[in-house]
Amino acid sequence: MDVPDDPPRVCPVCTAAYDSVSVHESGVMVNLLDNERYRRVCFEPVDDGDASRLRFYHHTHEQARTADDPHG
């Protein structure tokens, strides 16, 4: 897992604020059913020239409720 040097100001997927961002190049598992800190994680595919990766934008419960999310 990596952290990008120049993360965007808001999540490019849902345009909401986010708590943190990480970049992964191998398999991951996400379970937010009982997560006390995060309500939603948005995924953005990125290509850094060497490999395809996924950026994960981690949204807290409060941040997810501020987005246009009917399920927030």
Side-chain angles (χ1 to χ4, degrees):
M1 178 194 83
D2 296 315
V3 177
D5 293 332
D6 58 348
R9 190 178 60 77
V10 296
C11 174
V13 179
C14 70
T15 67
Y18 60 90
D19 186 55
S20 62
V21 60
S22 57
V23 181
H24 304 264
E25 69 177 77
S26 60
V28 297
M29 181 184 76
V30 178
N31 175 3
L32 299 180
L33 292 175
D34 298 314
N35 193 303
E36 292 182 16
R37 185 169 185 179
Y38 296 117
R39 167 75 175 166
R40 178 177 66 229
V41 176
C42 291
F43 305 93
E44 177 192 32
V46 293
D47 186 352
D48 69 1
D50 294 329
S52 295
R53 299 172 186 251
L54 276 177
R55 276 191 184 172
F56 286 47
Y57 295 88
H58 311 101
H59 301 278
T60 64
H61 290 263
E62 182 178 279
Q63 291 166 334
R65 279 192 291 272
T66 62
D68 294 332
D69 183 356
H71 306 291

